[in-house]
Amino acid sequence: MTRWSGVTGAERVHVVRALLARPLLHRRGVHTRTVEMARTHQTELQAWFEHHLGWQLRVERDRVRLFKAPGNVRRQGSDAPTARQCALFCLVLAVLEDCGAQTVISELAEKIEVVSRTHPSLRRFDATVSRERRDLVLMVRLLCRLRVLVSTLDTVVTQEDEQDYIRGIGDALYDVDHRTAALMLSTSVSPSLTTGPQELLIATGTDRMISEGRALHHAVMRRLVDDPVVYFDDLPSDQREYFLGHMQELIQALRAGLGARVEVRAEGAAIVDEELTDLEFPKTSAASFAALVLAERLFHEVVDAPDRTGWIGTTRLLELSSEVAADLAKTMTTINQKPVDGEHTWQAAAPILIGLDLICEVPGGILIRPALARFRDPSGRGPRTEKPGLMLFGLDDLQTSPTDDPTLEEPSDDILT
């Protein structure tokens, strides 16, 4: 496709980035100018998303909706909703069809309760349970951020009302944007007509009719724009072969369309961009801090090893966790409500490191993934807690680039926002 450049190209890149970060944009609020740009460049943007990702883009006067399907359903951020919350999110959208121009949380709860009772495959919603009310409020707030529901009162007052509902002593009132609600479903097939979850990942009806090569192009590009790091070993063999055989085309498309830096190494590829793909460590618990400190120890363990295989055995892993625990015990007495020792420190830190795809469990120990190097501290003052301005794969002497092609240099300034 034609390379974007100049002011026109910068505007298109701005819209692409905005939609990848937030697939539903509304004219009201901070996205007013972005929606206007999307309308101006509608044809070119629709062609770019369809050609490279197989995703449909709908541009309306007040809304822009990118109907995207994930390339990798395993990835979840630390703040991802639980399975129960996701179910409630979908149920709220379903019952909103029967609501008028306004609704209150208690009405939504009543309707969800009825639906869950009449469908035996659904777990029953019980509005008398505080946990259930809290999860419902969290999903209502998410729908407010998406502007499906709009607070009719002052924000502070509405939040107080939501807390009153959780406590069982109040309610909260919202306007319903039925048009935005109708745009939430991003599959071409109704969920009730599918035989399983995998069918919901088909973004458009044309996916079944495109060539095998185009389908591979879409699959690889979806992984690249969704995941912080794409490791070649994680890709199916056909996708891995396609990436290696079409690397220049893929990287040029990413850099031109996203205005982002792309790093390619022997192990895989990553878009190095804090707004689009970077994930931060969670910072709200002793477990998250333990994971961050342990990440630093694990990195240096690999760097200092003669073979640098990235494998650390169970015995050594417990020793490193015990060293971390000894440091943590100076400032905290418990971790996940358990004593701060090596075993409990590892049990608390492991899910976070695995969830961020920085390590993976293998027989007899763990395998360090290259992206863990991004959280090291070259100064020796301790692990990084913010998004570092480093290459995601870390040290040059640990990983080597599979190509010296000059076309993989930094993009020109004329396509950056």
Side-chain angles (χ1 to χ4, degrees):
M1 298 185 71
T2 304
R3 182 181 175 89
W4 295 341
S5 62
V7 175
T8 296
E11 290 183 350
R12 294 172 186 171
V13 168
H14 171 81
V15 178
V16 169
R17 291 172 61 88
L19 286 167
L20 290 177
R22 191 183 181 96
L24 176 59
L25 303 178
H26 204 286
R27 178 181 291 277
R28 288 177 292 182
V30 298
H31 300 295
T32 301
R33 179 60 180 146
T34 303
V35 172
E36 292 175 355
M37 291 180 186
R39 295 187 65 193
T40 300
H41 304 288
Q42 176 178 347
T43 301
E44 295 80 9
L45 292 169
Q46 288 173 329
W48 191 90
F49 280 113
E50 174 61 32
H51 179 78
H52 289 298
L53 294 158
W55 292 340
Q56 289 184 338
L57 177 67
R58 179 172 297 177
V59 180
E60 299 182 352
R61 185 175 68 86
D62 294 324
R63 305 166 189 84
V64 180
R65 176 69 162 112
L66 177 63
F67 295 98
K68 59 179 294 189
N72 180 11
V73 296
R74 294 180 303 166
R75 181 202 172 191
Q76 289 188 347
S78 59
D79 59 347
T82 64
R84 180 56 172 168
Q85 291 167 352
C86 289
L88 290 175
F89 181 87
C90 294
L91 286 171
V92 172
L93 286 172
V95 302
L96 278 176
E97 289 189 13
D98 297 326
C99 294
Q102 290 186 327
T103 188
V104 290
I105 296 182
S106 60
E107 180 188 15
L108 297 175
E110 291 172 4
K111 291 180 179 296
I112 291 173
E113 213 164 0
V114 171
V115 171
S116 65
R117 281 202 310 266
T118 55
H119 292 271
S121 59
L122 294 176
R123 173 179 149 191
R124 182 174 175 179
F125 177 79
D126 187 352
T128 66
V129 178
S130 176
R131 176 73 252 184
E132 292 273 75
R133 295 196 301 272
R134 185 178 299 109
D135 283 343
L136 177 58
V137 166
L138 287 174
M139 294 302 96
V140 165
R141 288 177 180 173
L142 177 55
L143 287 166
C144 286
R145 292 198 294 273
L146 294 168
R147 303 200 71 85
V148 173
L149 297 175
V150 182
S151 300
T152 59
L153 304 172
D154 180 80
T155 302
V156 176
V157 175
T158 302
Q159 290 177 352
E160 291 175 353
D161 292 339
E162 290 169 349
Q163 289 299 322
D164 285 343
Y165 172 77
I166 293 174
R167 290 191 290 265
I169 59 173
D171 220 333
L173 177 67
Y174 305 92
D175 290 333
V176 181
D177 187 333
H178 286 283
R179 178 54 191 159
T180 301
L183 292 172
M184 290 302 299
L185 187 63
S186 64
T187 62
S188 59
V189 180
S190 171
S192 62
L193 300 178
T194 61
T195 58
Q198 285 301 121
E199 289 189 35
L200 296 177
L201 299 182
I202 300 176
T204 67
T206 60
D207 275 13
R208 293 187 177 92
M209 297 180 284
I210 62 177
S211 67
E212 181 181 357
R214 182 51 52 188
L216 287 172
H217 184 92
H218 292 167
V220 173
M221 285 286 283
R222 291 175 187 177
R223 289 289 295 265
L224 289 168
V225 300
D226 272 345
D227 290 355
V229 179
V230 175
Y231 295 109
F232 296 140
D233 290 345
D234 290 345
L235 293 174
S237 58
D238 56 346
Q239 293 183 23
R240 182 168 59 251
E241 291 175 5
Y242 183 87
F243 182 94
L244 294 175
H246 299 79
M247 184 184 304
Q248 179 175 326
E249 175 191 353
L250 293 165
I251 299 305
Q252 285 181 338
L254 289 170
R255 287 178 167 167
L258 277 63
R261 169 184 166 194
V262 183
E263 182 182 346
V264 182
R265 295 295 182 98
E267 295 84 357
I271 296 175
V272 186
D273 192 294
E274 294 183 357
E275 294 180 355
L276 295 179
T277 62
D278 263 3
L279 292 178
E280 290 184 86
F281 262 81
K283 304 174 187 176
T284 58
S285 67
S288 60
F289 184 70
L292 192 60
V293 176
L294 184 58
E296 173 83 359
R297 300 291 181 98
L298 295 175
F299 168 77
H300 286 291
E301 184 75 7
V302 173
V303 171
D304 296 338
D307 53 9
R308 295 190 177 186
T309 61
W311 181 83
I312 299 178
T314 302
T315 300
R316 180 55 181 160
L317 186 61
L318 184 58
E319 291 175 354
L320 293 171
S321 298
S322 298
E323 293 174 6
V324 171
D327 290 338
L328 296 177
K330 299 174 183 177
T331 57
M332 62 181 69
T333 57
T334 62
I335 185 167
N336 286 355
Q337 299 180 335
K338 295 179 180 178
V340 183
D341 56 27
E343 181 179 357
H344 292 132
T345 296
W346 169 245
Q347 291 175 355
I352 296 173
L353 296 174
I354 293 172
L356 290 171
D357 205 19
L358 300 179
I359 66 171
C360 61
E361 293 182 303
V362 295
I366 63 169
L367 189 65
I368 303 299
R369 312 218 77 179
L372 182 134
R374 64 194 289 258
F375 293 101
R376 78 190 193 280
D377 178 16
S379 69
R381 291 191 296 268
R384 293 174 179 264
T385 59
E386 302 293 338
K387 294 176 181 176
L390 300 172
M391 293 184 294
L392 287 180
F393 289 123
L395 297 178
D396 287 337
D397 61 352
L398 287 181
Q399 295 86 27
T400 56
S401 173
T403 178
D404 292 322
D405 192 327
T407 61
L408 299 185
E409 294 300 320
E410 292 291 319
S412 59
D413 291 340
D414 62 358
I415 63 170
L416 299 178
T417 55

